[in-house]
Amino acid sequence: SCLCGSAPCLLCGCCPSAKNSTVSRLLFTFFLFLGTLVSIIMIIPGVEKELHKLAGFCEGSGSVLGVQTHIDCGSFLGHKAVYRMGFAMAAFFFLFAVIMVCVRSSKDPRAAVQNGFWFFKFLVLVGITVGAFYIPDGAFSTVWFYFGVVGSFLFILIQLVLLIDFAHSWSQLWLRNAGESSAKGWYAALCIVTFIFYATSIAAIVLLYVYYTKPEGCTEGKVLISINLILCLIVSAVSILPKIQ
């Protein structure tokens, strides 16, 4: 009953009060996290092998009460299964994005759909996910591969912009505090954090070279990592030039 309505139940009465929109963000984030977790499980090496150990679960794993299963575990594991899970999540969020077009406040009648009925939303997500696994292979995997490539590129680009904006705001705040209080501690803190971030970046680059390249091959990986390293060095040098400052 708590999931179907907007009124809090007895178990939620002890929780701190929060706006409906805040709770909605948290629950939608939980749905996204749940879908991501399922995708991770589907792509873990060895999961199909373990499922075959369950009698009657996968084809060729024996029968239960004399009934032979016809489930091909390979059809809902691996990268194709992740594509289907990703398609289901995208369809789910796109559906509610369309429903919420032009909704500006919680007073809008459609806002009740956004902020409530969580049990039914979960059923909708499960239904779309099950339906996605019935999509024939055909061109679906190829088409969704390109959706993934473009989407992941845009996602990384947006994250980079947000990270740069965050780092710039952080730096400006500490520099302003240092200027207003005439305390050297703010400068020292900024230098320490900068050193930690650069050290972490260098360690990450080394790990990329170790785990994603080989001495005899992996030319594409080496080139991509090297280009990123060179660009980071150029941006770091340019950012401290007097004209840029």
Side-chain angles (χ1 to χ4, degrees):
S1 62
C2 309
L3 296 172
C4 297
S6 58
C9 64
L10 294 175
L11 293 176
C12 300
C14 60
C15 298
S17 59
K19 293 182 179 179
N20 281 340
S21 57
T22 303
V23 175
S24 297
R25 289 190 186 98
L26 292 173
L27 288 171
F28 274 121
T29 303
F30 171 74
F31 279 8
L32 182 61
F33 173 77
L34 187 63
T36 305
L37 184 63
V38 172
S39 297
I40 292 172
I41 293 172
M42 287 175 172
I43 207 167
I44 292 176
V47 172
E48 184 178 359
K49 182 180 178 181
E50 294 299 322
L51 288 177
H52 274 91
K53 294 179 181 179
L54 300 176
F57 193 78
C58 297
E59 284 183 355
S61 61
S63 62
V64 175
L65 299 177
V67 178
Q68 178 65 45
T69 183
H70 296 286
I71 300 175
D72 179 12
C73 285
S75 64
F76 61 90
L77 290 172
H79 69 278
K80 291 183 179 180
V82 175
Y83 287 159
R84 282 165 168 72
M85 192 68 217
F87 171 80
M89 297 296 294
F92 174 77
F93 285 108
F94 180 75
L95 171 65
F96 283 96
V98 171
I99 293 174
M100 293 297 113
V101 169
C102 296
V103 174
R104 301 299 179 189
S105 70
S106 296
K107 295 180 181 179
D108 191 293
R110 285 181 291 163
V113 179
Q114 172 80 356
N115 298 326
F117 304 102
W118 292 104
F119 177 73
F120 296 106
K121 286 178 183 175
F122 181 74
L123 291 182
V124 169
L125 177 58
V126 172
I128 295 175
T129 304
V130 172
F133 281 89
Y134 281 94
I135 300 174
D137 265 344
F140 174 80
S141 296
T142 304
V143 172
W144 203 245
F145 166 78
Y146 287 106
F147 268 99
V149 169
V150 175
S152 59
F153 171 76
L154 294 176
F155 175 79
I156 292 173
L157 193 63
I158 293 170
Q159 295 302 308
L160 284 173
V161 172
L162 292 174
L163 280 171
I164 292 169
D165 181 67
F166 169 72
H168 179 74
S169 302
W170 185 0
S171 174
Q172 291 300 309
L173 175 63
W174 282 18
L175 287 172
R176 186 168 62 249
N177 290 340
E180 291 175 354
S181 62
S182 299
K184 301 297 182 182
W186 289 105
Y187 289 111
L190 194 59
C191 289
I192 291 172
V193 171
T194 302
F195 173 79
I196 291 173
F197 284 165
Y198 270 101
T200 304
S201 300
I202 293 170
I205 290 170
V206 171
L207 291 175
L208 287 174
Y209 276 116
V210 170
Y211 288 103
Y212 289 94
T213 64
K214 294 180 180 179
E216 305 83 26
C218 299
T219 305
E220 184 180 349
K222 292 175 183 176
V223 170
L224 289 173
I225 297 170
S226 300
I227 289 175
N228 278 277
L229 173 59
I230 293 169
L231 289 175
C232 287
L233 293 174
I234 292 174
V235 170
S236 297
V238 170
S239 65
I240 60 175
L241 294 176
K243 285 194 174 183
I244 300 298
Q245 291 292 318

